[in-house]
Each structure stands twice: as C-alpha cells, then as structure tokens.
C-alpha cells in the first residue's frame, strides 16, 4: 500500500512537472492550484506577490495596451514598455514623409517632446472575483439556452453596476470554461498615453514579414510610452497640464540574462484559444475557412506589396495595414502545418471515442451527454458552407477599402432618407476628422486594383448562391472583366475622392444624398449586407444559438470525466499567468534550435538589397566598436530568446519575468511550428519568442542616446 501511494505521488508529481508549460492560469486561483508547482519549477515569489487585493503586487505593473496588447510599467514615472508592433499604429499615425518615425525611429529627449495619442488608452486590473453563483441566480437546468443567456446577462449587469458604484472603474463579468464559471473583472483606464520612443523599423521590425512567426529571430520589437494622469494621479483626459503617472508598482529589470532551463513566467492578456473543441470543429476550420482566408489574403497582399514598392508615400500609408493582414495570413499557414504535425484531429477523435464510452456507461450520463457530439457535429457540418461564405464576405467583399469606407456612411444615408435635419448635420460633422485620417493613409489606384482582384476572386471562389446579387450582375454586365468594373467604380464613386466627398458633405441636399445612396461602392456594400443578413447570418445562427450551449455541456462533461486533471480555461482576453522555462527545440529531423540569438546574427542577416534586412549604419558602428556597455554578454548583445510559456495573440508586449519577479524580456511572438498552440499545445514544439530586455536597453542607451530613460529604470545585476 505504502509503495503504491509512493508510486502514485511520483506519477502525479512527474505528471504535473511535465505538463507545467501548458496552461494559462487565472491569477486569483494561483494560490489554490498553481503556486506550489511554480515554486517547484524555481519561482521565488508568493502567490500574493503576483496577485493580491491587499498588497502591491506584480499585476499592478501590467496594463492592457490599446485594443489588444499587453504593456508593463518600468519606472516610477509612468514609463511603459510594449512591443513595436503594438505601438505601430500610433507610431505610423505620427509619421509623414518629412517625419518618418517608422523608418527613422522616434525618441523624445525630454518629457515635453513626448507625443499624445488620441484614442489610445491603457487599462489596469483592479481586482478579480469569482461570481459564478451570483451569475447563475435564476438559471435552471431545463431552461432554453436563450433564456439562460438572458438571465445571466441580467445578473451580470447587476453585478457590474454594483462593483463600480461610486468609482470611475469599469467592470466586466466574463464567462470561463465556455460558461460553466463566471468571473468579475474590475478595471481602471488611463487615456493620456504618450509616445516616448520607438526604434527605426529596421530594428523594431527587423526581418519584416519574412521573419514574422519565425525562430531564430532578431527583431527589436519594443516601443516606449508614458502614462499621464491628473495632479491627483487619477485618470484624466489629455491635457498639457497632466503629469507622469506614479504607478503602485513597476518592474525592476534584470541584466543577468537567461540560461537554458531558467524559470520564466509571462503575465499578460492572451486573446482567444479553443483547446477543448471537438475534432470536427478543427476539421471544418482546416478544410474551409483557414485555407480560404490564406488564399484571399495572399491575393490582397500581392497587390498591396507591389504598390508599396513603387513609392515611399504608399509604403508609409500601407505599412500598418499590410502588417495586420500578413500577420494572420502567415500564422494560419503555421497553424495548418502544426495541427497536422501533432495529429490534432486524430488525437481529438481518440478522445471522443473514450468520451462516448464514458458517457454511455451510465444511464444518467447517457441522458445528459450521450448525444452531445452527434448533435454538435451535425450543426458544424451543416454550417460549413455558411462559414465559408462568411469568410468570403469579409476577406474578399470587404477587402477593398472603398467598400468598408462607404459603409461608414450607412447610418448617415439612412438618416437622410428621413430628411436633412440638424441631427443629420451633426453626424456629418462628427465624421469629418475620421475622413481626413482615412484619406491620409489611402491610395485610390492601389484600392482600385484591390477591388478588381478581390471581386474576381469572390466571383470565382464560391458558388453563386453565396455571392452578393450585385456581384453576380457585375460579372455578367462586365463580361467577367473586373478591372473594367473597378475602373468604372473609381471613375464615379465619391468615396474614392476626398475633395469630392467633402464637397458633398459640406453642401448637403436631397440630390447629393441620393448621389451617396446610389454610389457604386455604397451599393456593393448594401448588397454585401443583404447577403449577410438574409443568407449568411440565418445559416450561421441556426446552429450558432446551439453551439455555445453544446460546447458548454461538452466542456462540463470533459471536466467531469477527468476529475484528476487540473483544467485551465481558454484565453478570453483576461489576465493570465503562464510559466515555463528557457528552452530550445527540435523543429525537424536533424535540426536543433538554440534558445538565444545575438547581435552577431543581426550582422549575419544584414543585406542592403533587401528592405527587411538593412541594418542601420549606427548599429553597425556599435557592433564594430563592440560598444555594448553593461548590456554585453559573451562579447555580444543578446537579442531574443525562446521559452516554453503557453502564450497567444494579445500576449504581445507581456512581461517575461524571472524567478525573482524581475523583467528579463518582452514577449512578442511564437514559433511558426507552434502556432497551433491556440488549438492544441505541444510542449516539444511550442515556444514563445521574447525580446531580451538587454537588447532593448542597449538600443535605448547606446543607439538612441536616450540615457535619461535608462536612469528612470531600476536595473539589477
Ligand atoms: N504576435 C502575437 C501578438 O501580437 C503574439 C502571439 O500570437 O504569440 O499578440
């Protein structure tokens, strides 16, 4: 007996150590489930040091940056670091041909030079609470899923309102485990966030799309911002009188670097994973929506990249847009390969077989769970063509910007149908700033080509039943010549021409409103909307109403079936902890990847002929002089490292923390072989890629000469 329990404990221990890398854990539950495991893996801090409502802790130094990234505080004066690709949109908005901060970088040499970014905010987490019971008040097992959802939403609204009473906080009740648990998140946002520094793209985006999602990597993917607050340190709208925010906590920065096997923790906001879906959900994505999206984005990128080669102005205008399109495009190709490599579908099928046996082995379970998979599969299979149609509507139909832009005027035109009132004029006035910023980054000839290419792909790629009526008519009217069609649109559409559009908006009358409503770009948009509301959405919602409920039950059943397993919830843009270790990997037979890259590797990649691999002269000089200061290690500067933390989109910019809770890196990507980790994590293949903090400091200090920023930080040896 004694021996047996020893063996059992050994296996549980070994099992938990082996599995340590997989999982995105809820900070609130660290103490209960994970901290001991983390400490066994080398972590020196307590659960309270990481997350607490009673004391200052690491979570107080972390923010949601903008819409979908993470950032962290690195000085007592509100200085914040995130990725270059997270700050990119804002850096780009400040860039013109004269002040090309994308190409040349930007460094504020004093606080007065820091640049405000209207619309950019950062959000701190105040606290988390398990509100499962309160969320489910009034919910019964026999309730139809629509009623269940309504009841939960009503409860959530009350919980949220109660949580923020008398504060300037916001609150959100978020479902976990597909709606089997609910947690409340209380947040506080700061809206005056200024750009402090960004390296040139030749550093911050070194390797460009070629190296994106790839290890070995040499990208200096960071940018610096500063949070400003009112005199009382509270959130305040932008004002030149605001002062640097004084954070409760900021990260000390370690200069000691990393060795293979070192403990690492990533603390940030992963966006979305689907680890617990059945095989047929993956199959449908792998067979339909992902390949279609890859194919349509390839076509779109071909047009945009060719145009960017032709002029520096277009390169600046389209750089952020191109990166956004290419990022998903490349990742998805990795996902397809990775899922195949880990045999994801077969593994899920094997599990489903065991699941079915378990469900059928007990009459009660059989009643509750016995037909889940069958019902679920039936819906997914029926839905597949509508999913594909949806992919086409978005990735082909709305790919030309002129279509989406015309869509911005939809409510305006609908309003005008009721007569031009003062209210109408107000909507127009509110739109004017947006119009100017849209046209700053718009090149009509490029978009004309996009319209021709994407509409042709739409017409040829999917059956006519799933095409907008207008597209079918155009194919006939123009005898399949989509270039001719695009030309005619751009000759007549007011949405292609800023002056003409502003002329109309500044002088509205019944006739000009009619012109907007009959505009060819607007009409295509309307036809797409009709397809969406009359065909695609009903097709999707027929099943979609049931899918969340079936997935919830399937999740619940999986947890019941494996009571010994510690489940982690799928990512849902809430704060999570993931821990692992610095570790290389074997991408293919005969190849072994090290854990670290260095400045020497940047020099090896240097190629003035290729835009993405042009090393800036100043960096070459520092390299030749070996002028590395305190950032050197083994006679070079470390640039990036990989570790086995389970991360996802949204973890970009997250702090990578060592065993002592100090900052050692900034998470920014994953390896291509491991991008399927959003669907199935594999400890041998999945790695997160981080910028070694010493490279960021070296660039700030030696390359940019922004030593005053280094002085704000707390460096530890
Ligand atoms: N590059 C991703 C991001 O932008 C991070 C990842 O998916 O690993 O959030």
């Amino acid at each position: 007996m004694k021996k047996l329990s020893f063996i059992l404990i050994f296996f549980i221990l070994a099992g938990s150590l082996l599995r340590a890398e997989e999982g995105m854990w809820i900070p609130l539950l660290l103490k209960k489930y994970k901290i001991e495991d983390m400490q066994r893996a080398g972590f020196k801090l307590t659960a309270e040091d990481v997350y607490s409502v009673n004391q200052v802790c690491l979570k107080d130094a972390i923010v949601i940056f903008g819409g979908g990234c993470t950032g962290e505080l690195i000085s007592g004066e509100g200085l914040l670091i995130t990725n270059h690709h997270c700050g990119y949109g804002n850096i780009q908005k400040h860039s013109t041909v004269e002040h090309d901060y994308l190409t040349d970088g930007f460094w504020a040499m004093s606080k007065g030079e820091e640049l405000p970014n209207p619309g950019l905010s950062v959000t701190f987490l105040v606290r988390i609470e398990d509100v499962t019971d309160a969320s489910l008040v009034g919910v019964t097992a026999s309730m139809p899923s629509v009623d269940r959802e309504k009841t939960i939403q009503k409860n959530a609204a009350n919980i949220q309102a109660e949580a923020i009473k008398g504060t300037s906080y916001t609150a959100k009740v978020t479902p976990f485990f597909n709606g089997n648990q609910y947690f409340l998140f209380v947040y506080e946002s700061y809206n005056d966030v200024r750009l402090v520094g960004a390296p040139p793209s030749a550093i911050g985006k070194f390797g460009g799309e070629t190296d994106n999602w790839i290890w070995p990597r040499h990208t200096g993917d960071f940018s610096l911002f500063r949070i400003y607050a009112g005199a009382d340190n509270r959130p305040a709208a932008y004002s030149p009188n605001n002062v640097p925010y004084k954070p409760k906590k900021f990260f000390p920065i370690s200069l000691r670097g990393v060795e293979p096997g070192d403990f690492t923790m990533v603390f940030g906001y992963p966006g979305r994973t689907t680890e617990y879906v059945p095989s047929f959900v993956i199959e449908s994505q792998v067979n339909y929506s992902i390949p279609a999206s890859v194919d349509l984005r390839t076509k779109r990128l071909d047009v945009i990249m060719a145009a960017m080669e032709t002029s520096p102005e277009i390169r600046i205008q389209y750089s952020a847009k191109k990166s956004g399109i290419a990022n998903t495009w490349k990742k998805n190709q990795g996902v397809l390969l990775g899922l195949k490599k880990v045999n994801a579908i077969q593994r899920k099928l094997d599990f489903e077989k065991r699941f079915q046996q378990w469900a059928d082995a007990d009459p009660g379970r059989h009643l509750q769970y016995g037909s889940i998979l069958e019902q679920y599969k039936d819906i997914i299979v029926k839905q597949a063509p509508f999913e594909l149609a949806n992919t086409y509507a978005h990735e082909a139909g709305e790919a030309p910007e002129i279509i989406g832009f015309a869509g911005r005027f939809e409510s305006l035109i609908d309003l005008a149908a009721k007569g031009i009132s003062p209210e109408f004029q107000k909507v127009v006035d509110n739109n004017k700033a947006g119009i100017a910023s849209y046209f700053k980054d718009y090149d009509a000839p490029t978009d004309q080509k996009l319209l021709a290419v994407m509409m042709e792909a739409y017409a040829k790629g999917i059956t006519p039943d799933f095409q907008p009526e207008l597209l079918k008519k155009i194919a006939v009217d123009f005898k399949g010549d989509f270039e001719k069609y695009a030309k005619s649109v751009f000759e007549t559409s007011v949405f292609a021409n800023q002056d003409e559009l502003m002329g109309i908006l500044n002088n509205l009358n019944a006739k000009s409103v009619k012109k907007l409503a009959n505009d060819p770009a607007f009409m295509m948009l309307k036809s797409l909307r009709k397809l969406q509301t009359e065909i695609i959405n009903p097709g999707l919602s027929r099943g979609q109403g049931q899918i969340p409920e079936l997935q919830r039950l399937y999740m619940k059943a999986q947890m019941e079936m494996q009571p010994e397993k510690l489940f982690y919830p799928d990512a849902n843009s809430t704060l999570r902890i993931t821990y692992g270790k610095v570790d290389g990997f074997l991408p293919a037979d005969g190849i072994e990847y090290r854990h670290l890259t260095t400045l020497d590797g940047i020099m090896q990649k240097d190629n003035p002929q290729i835009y993405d691999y042009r090393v800036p002269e100043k960096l070459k000089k520092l390299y030749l002089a070996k002028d590395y200061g305190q950032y050197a290690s083994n006679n070079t500067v470390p640039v990036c490292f990989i570790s086995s933390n389970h991360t996802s989109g949204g973890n970009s910019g997250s702090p990578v923390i060592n065993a002592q809770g100090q900052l050692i890196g900034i998470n920014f990507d994953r390896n291509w072989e491991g991008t399927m980790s959003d669907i199935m994590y594999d400890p041998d293949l999945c790695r997160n890629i981080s910028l070694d903090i010493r490279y960021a400091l070296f660039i700030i200090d030696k390359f940019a000469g922004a030593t005053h920023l280094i002085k704000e930080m707390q460096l530890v040896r």
Side-chain angles (χ1 to χ4, degrees):
M1 181 64 199
K2 219 171 167 186
K3 200 169 163 197
L4 192 73
S5 60
F6 170 77
I7 291 172
L8 204 68
I9 287 171
F10 173 79
F11 277 112
I12 291 173
L13 262 179
S16 68
L17 285 181
L18 282 178
R19 296 176 37 81
E21 285 93 351
E22 179 170 1
M24 303 169 165
W25 307 98
I26 307 175
L28 176 70
L29 302 181
L30 205 59
K31 198 169 185 166
K32 199 161 165 192
Y33 297 121
K34 271 286 146 188
I35 192 68
E36 285 169 16
D37 211 14
M38 288 171 73
Q39 288 165 342
R40 266 199 299 275
F43 194 45
K44 298 283 181 272
L45 272 48
T46 65
E48 287 271 304
D49 294 331
V50 177
Y51 173 87
S52 172
V53 284
N54 304 314
Q55 68 176 57
V56 169
C57 57
L58 298 187
K59 80 132 176 40
D60 297 324
I62 295 169
V63 293
I64 302 172
F65 180 85
C69 279
T70 307
E72 54 276 3
L73 275 301
I74 50 168
S75 92
E77 297 175 62
L79 188 63
L80 175 156
I81 192 162
T82 185
N83 291 147
H84 186 262
H85 80 262
C86 296
Y88 201 72
N90 286 292
I91 305 166
Q92 192 259 351
K93 275 188 212 149
H94 291 294
S95 297
T96 58
V97 174
E98 295 78 43
H99 296 285
D100 186 354
Y101 300 142
L102 287 178
T103 304
D104 304 328
F106 168 80
W107 302 98
M109 286 302 167
S110 67
K111 294 203 176 74
E113 287 177 14
E114 296 173 356
L115 299 174
N117 300 285
L120 176 64
S121 64
V122 296
T123 301
F124 289 90
L125 174 66
V126 179
R127 66 189 158 89
I128 312 174
E129 230 177 274
D130 185 343
V131 290
T132 307
D133 292 344
S135 300
L136 295 178
V137 167
V139 169
T140 61
S142 59
M143 216 174 206
S145 58
V146 190
D147 296 347
R148 179 189 163 93
E149 211 28 56
K150 267 193 203 142
T151 311
I152 293 172
Q153 295 216 343
K154 211 172 112 228
N155 292 338
N158 292 336
I159 298 168
Q160 287 162 188
E162 188 61 30
I164 59 172
K165 224 186 227 165
T167 71
S168 56
Y169 298 158
T170 55
K172 195 164 170 12
V173 171
T174 307
F176 281 67
F177 294 114
N178 305 115
N180 286 293
Q181 276 183 37
Y182 289 84
F183 286 85
L184 166 74
F185 291 80
V186 178
Y187 296 110
E188 181 171 45
S189 294
Y190 282 76
N191 301 315
D192 186 353
V193 184
R194 304 188 194 166
L195 177 62
V196 175
S201 292
I203 289 173
K205 216 172 157 19
F206 183 75
E209 292 326 319
T210 320
D211 283 9
N212 192 20
W213 299 109
I214 295 289
W215 183 257
R217 189 66 160 276
H218 298 87
T219 314
D221 197 346
F222 76 97
S223 56
L224 297 168
F225 288 79
R226 193 185 304 279
I227 307 172
Y228 279 77
D232 54 359
N233 208 33
R234 310 288 313 151
Y238 169 78
S239 153
N241 300 328
N242 283 349
V243 293
Y245 167 70
K246 288 199 175 42
K248 284 190 218 142
K249 165 90 192 158
F250 65 90
F251 279 101
I253 299 175
S254 167
L255 291 174
R256 282 194 308 274
V258 295
E259 294 296 332
D262 280 358
F263 173 89
T264 53
M265 163 177 155
V266 175
F267 202 6
Y269 284 88
R272 183 165 185 267
T273 60
T274 51
E275 309 281 347
Y276 306 103
V277 293
S279 58
F280 39 85
V281 170
I282 303 178
E283 215 167 358
S284 159
Q285 289 166 357
V286 164
N287 291 340
Y288 299 103
S289 39
I290 299 183
S293 160
V294 169
D295 179 44
L296 292 169
R297 282 178 187 236
T298 306
K299 294 189 165 71
R300 203 164 153 195
L301 285 166
D302 285 348
V303 173
I304 292 176
M305 279 153 67
M308 285 172 78
E309 289 284 315
T310 62
S311 97
E313 196 179 352
I314 300 180
R315 185 177 50 70
I316 294 174
Q317 287 175 324
Y318 281 76
S319 51
K321 293 184 242 187
K322 184 197 93 176
S323 296
I325 302 165
N327 195 44
T328 309
W329 167 78
K330 189 160 184 191
K331 179 193 167 191
N332 272 339
Q333 296 173 66
V335 170
L336 291 178
L337 288 173
L339 288 174
K340 208 165 166 187
K341 194 159 184 176
V342 298
N343 217 358
I345 293 176
Q346 191 55 48
R347 273 161 70 178
K348 291 269 181 181
L349 280 170
D350 294 346
F351 174 77
E352 284 154 29
K353 205 166 155 192
R354 280 185 282 126
F355 175 83
Q356 196 62 52
Q357 283 163 358
W358 170 82
D360 292 342
D362 172 274
R365 282 204 304 256
H366 176 71
L367 201 67
Q368 217 185 343
Y369 305 130
S371 65
I372 293 182
L373 287 173
E374 196 186 322
Q375 284 179 50
Y376 199 162
K377 184 171 182 176
D378 186 53
I379 295 172
I380 293 292
V381 170
K382 284 198 185 117
Q383 221 182 55
F386 296 95
E387 285 287 357
L388 188 66
N390 203 25
T391 304
Y392 266 85
H394 290 114
E395 302 251 1
E398 290 182 28
E401 284 179 87
I402 195 168
I403 308 282
F405 182 59
R408 289 202 211 169
F409 297 84
E410 206 177 357
S411 61
L412 210 110
I413 293 168
D414 290 348
L415 246 181
K418 296 186 201 130
I420 298 168
S421 61
E423 191 191 344
F424 179 81
Q425 194 58 50
K426 220 161 70 197
V427 180
V428 172
D429 291 342
N430 288 344
N431 263 299
K432 283 184 183 163
I435 294 169
S437 103
Y438 169 82
F439 278 105
K440 172 188 171 289
D441 291 331
Y442 186 68
D443 178 63
T446 302
D447 206 32
Q448 181 176 328
K449 279 192 204 105
L450 263 182
L451 183 66
V453 169
M454 299 319 294
M455 289 302 157
E456 181 164 5
Y458 203 162
K460 290 185 175 159
I462 192 163
T463 55
D465 299 358
F466 289 123
Q467 291 175 18
E469 287 304 323
L470 187 56
L471 181 65
K472 287 188 259 185
K473 184 171 176 307
I474 280 160
V476 176
D477 290 355
F478 288 84
K479 301 195 178 66
D481 186 345
F482 287 91
E483 274 184 29
K484 204 163 155 199
Y485 159 68
K487 188 162 176 274
S488 85
V489 170
F490 276 77
E491 275 167 6
T492 49
S493 174
V494 298
F495 297 110
N497 186 315
Q498 184 173 6
D499 292 341
E500 207 181 323
L501 181 62
M502 290 316 292
I504 288 190
L505 292 179
N506 286 330
N507 189 11
L508 281 166
N509 52 46
K511 201 171 140 219
S512 55
V513 167
K514 203 160 162 205
K515 191 168 159 63
L516 290 179
N518 291 330
D519 187 278
F522 188 73
M523 281 167 58
M524 180 54 87
L525 183 271
K526 277 289 191 195
S527 190
L528 272 162
R529 290 268 195 273
K530 195 159 177 274
L531 174 78
Q532 193 84 41
T533 48
E534 290 180 6
I535 297 185
I536 300 177
N537 289 352
L540 287 177
S541 62
R542 217 177 300 147
Q544 294 230 318
Q546 297 164 56
I547 289 176
E549 180 57 9
L550 286 165
Q551 180 60 39
R552 183 182 73 79
L553 286 175
Y554 185 45
M555 183 77 243
K556 182 167 174 272
Q558 289 180 67
M559 294 169 97
E560 275 175 37
M561 178 185 161
Q562 304 162 91
E564 75 295 344
K565 179 171 164 179
L566 186 55
F567 281 81
Y568 62 91
D570 270 319
N572 56 6
S573 296
T574 60
L575 187 61
R576 300 295 178 89
I577 290 154
T578 154
Y579 62 99
K581 57 176 186 281
V582 175
D583 201 5
F585 72 106
L586 310 174
D589 188 32
I591 306 177
E592 185 174 350
Y593 282 150
R594 276 190 79 205
H595 67 288
L596 191 79
T597 59
T598 66
L599 186 57
D600 297 23
I602 294 184
M603 295 307 146
Q604 287 159 17
K605 281 184 177 171
D606 178 34
N607 185 342
Q609 307 305 321
I610 304 176
Y611 180 78
D612 287 337
Y613 293 117
R614 287 178 202 159
V615 177
E617 285 309 316
K618 177 98 190 268
L619 193 56
K620 286 186 194 169
K621 274 200 193 121
L622 291 166
Y623 170 74
L624 288 174
K626 300 263 176 283
D627 185 5
Y628 304 150
Q630 58 182 334
Y631 315 110
S633 167
N634 294 324
N635 213 20
T636 184
V637 183
V639 173
C640 295
F641 64 88
I642 43 174
S643 41
S644 54
N645 301 75
H646 188 178
T647 55
S648 185
N651 266 127
S652 276
S654 300
V656 187
I657 300 161
N658 66 10
Q660 284 74 31
Q662 300 154 346
L663 191 69
I664 48 172
I666 316 295
N667 183 76
F668 72 94
D669 211 1
R670 278 170 285 163
N671 61 331
W672 207 49
E673 297 81 354
T675 46
M676 75 300 185
S677 63
D678 289 345
I679 301 171
M680 188 175 277
Y681 181 90
D682 183 282
D684 292 331
L685 281 177
C686 297
R687 294 292 177 270
N688 64 309
I689 305 180
S690 306
L691 170 71
D692 191 304
I693 196 66
R694 291 169 297 178
Y695 185 55
L697 299 177
F698 164 73
I699 294 296
I700 295 168
D701 191 351
K702 294 283 177 179
F703 179 86
T707 312
H708 61 288
L709 297 174
I710 303 283
K711 288 193 183 130
E712 281 185 40
M713 305 173 195
Q714 184 189 329
L715 307 186
V716 286
R717 285 219 153 261

